[in-house]
Amino acid sequence: MTAPAESMRPAWPNSPAAPRALEPSGARPRRLNPARVGLYAFLAITALFFLTPLYVMVVTSLKELSEIRSGAILSLPLAPTIEPWIKAWSSACTGLSCNGISVGFFNSVAILVPSVIASIAVGALTGYALSFWRVRGSGVLFGALMIVAFVPYQIFIYPLVRVFAFVGINNSIPGIVVIHTIFGLPTMTLLFRNYFVSLPPELFKAARVDGAGFFRIFWSVMLPMATPMIIVAVILQVTGIWNDFILGLVFAGRENLPMTVQLNNIVNSTQGERAYNVDMAATILTALVPLVVYFASGRWFVRGIASGAVKG
């Protein structure tokens, strides 16, 4: 028996007999359901919660003091001016000196660049050693580093001040660089160790068979493959070191105070009239570097985390 002729006919796309075309997995749903509406509402409220202070800071920094005293903090400036920004950068008083926050900016850069390079270099090398070169006691050393990472660093300040004063590097740029390297070592070691553990061990074994040594394998094989993790480490260290206050206040010295310490001196100054527009401009200038880093490399941060930062 042959099938009826009708069953041999192709079904039209809109006919009941035609199978429904599967929508691609990335296609947006045609209708909004209550769950999605709630998600959008939550995201909008969260964004509003975090962006409102930034908006207030920006509009206040562009207003004259007479307009700020009117109390309309959410209103746009009637006559926008960049004079508060110029004053915050070049002539705001940070204690007895009135050179603006630009001095602190260059001090922060002088602290940031060597601290980031040194902490990442030492952390990557230590993480590589703990992942492939299983020497005796490596597990104990890794555990000790992790314990130190969760100990409040404030309890180490006084002993380190005494040690650095004895060595002769207290109140100096090299001293604060060493401090940031020491306190960044546990986190950097954890990140790179977990990333290197996730790599195929055959790469390490093949390099060993070819005669490569400890540093040759690290420099020629492991480090080029760790680019996503290096980006993650740079973002974390730049943010942490740039935003640091207490370590810079204690170890940098009066001549090398970072931007965050000078910002505190500007905002909490009791001399003369309180210039809120200058304070807001100085605050934005201080936070500009971490904001630029996040906006410029946010997607790389996610890729680095996904490629091994939480593995191991």
Side-chain angles (χ1 to χ4, degrees):
M1 297 291 294
T2 59
E6 289 79 3
S7 61
M8 301 295 293
R9 297 176 183 175
W12 295 101
N14 296 329
S15 64
R20 294 183 178 180
L22 296 177
E23 295 183 358
S25 58
R28 297 180 179 179
R30 297 180 180 179
R31 296 181 180 180
L32 292 177
N33 51 38
R36 189 167 293 273
V37 172
L39 176 62
Y40 287 155
F42 173 77
L43 293 176
I45 294 173
T46 303
L48 191 63
F49 176 80
F50 285 103
L51 291 178
T52 299
L54 179 61
Y55 168 79
V56 173
M57 291 169 59
V58 172
V59 297
T60 303
S61 66
L62 298 174
K63 293 179 181 179
E64 297 285 351
L65 281 177
S66 57
E67 187 178 352
I68 295 174
R69 295 192 189 97
S70 65
I73 61 173
L74 295 178
S75 63
L76 294 173
L78 299 177
T81 176
I82 62 171
E83 183 180 354
W85 291 74
I86 298 175
K87 184 177 181 180
W89 179 257
S90 60
S91 62
C93 294
T94 58
L96 298 178
S97 62
C98 295
N99 298 322
I101 206 169
S102 59
V103 177
F105 173 81
F106 292 110
N107 289 339
S108 293
V109 172
I111 295 171
L112 177 71
V113 174
S115 298
V116 170
I117 295 175
S119 59
I120 293 178
V122 176
L125 192 62
T126 308
Y128 160 68
L130 292 176
S131 59
F132 288 106
W133 299 83
R134 299 301 179 91
V135 298
R136 180 175 298 179
S138 61
V140 176
L141 176 60
F142 183 71
L145 285 173
M146 294 305 100
I147 292 175
V148 173
F150 294 100
V151 175
Y153 63 83
Q154 288 83 356
I155 68 175
F156 299 109
I157 289 180
Y158 180 71
L160 286 173
V161 168
R162 299 287 295 179
V163 171
F164 280 29
F166 177 79
V167 176
I169 60 174
N170 195 30
N171 296 331
S172 64
I173 294 293
I176 188 64
V177 169
V178 171
I179 286 294
H180 284 304
T181 303
I182 291 173
F183 286 114
L185 183 59
T187 303
M188 295 298 101
T189 301
L190 174 65
L191 290 178
F192 282 99
R193 184 260 181 190
N194 289 349
Y195 181 79
F196 289 138
V197 165
S198 67
L199 297 178
E202 289 76 15
L203 295 174
F204 173 76
K205 295 177 181 178
R208 290 284 290 166
V209 170
D210 291 339
F214 180 89
F215 289 102
R216 181 62 183 273
I217 297 175
F218 174 73
W219 183 260
S220 301
V221 180
M222 298 301 165
L223 203 58
M225 300 183 64
T227 301
M229 192 50 50
I230 293 175
I231 295 174
V232 172
V234 168
I235 295 174
L236 292 177
Q237 287 299 93
V238 167
T239 305
I241 295 172
W242 187 271
N243 292 334
D244 169 68
F245 175 81
I246 186 66
L247 296 179
L249 178 64
V250 175
F251 293 98
R254 292 185 178 181
E255 301 299 326
N256 307 306
L257 291 177
M259 209 172 183
T260 50
V261 178
Q262 292 201 339
L263 173 65
N264 176 74
N265 295 338
I266 291 176
V267 173
N268 293 324
S269 176
T270 58
Q271 300 178 358
E273 185 181 26
R274 180 60 62 88
Y276 295 102
N277 49 1
V278 176
D279 294 346
M280 294 299 181
T283 304
I284 297 174
L285 288 171
T286 304
L288 202 58
V289 170
L291 288 175
V292 170
V293 170
Y294 270 116
F295 285 124
S297 56
R299 64 189 184 95
W300 292 102
F301 181 81
V302 176
R303 286 184 181 181
I305 290 294
S307 63
V310 294
K311 297 179 182 179

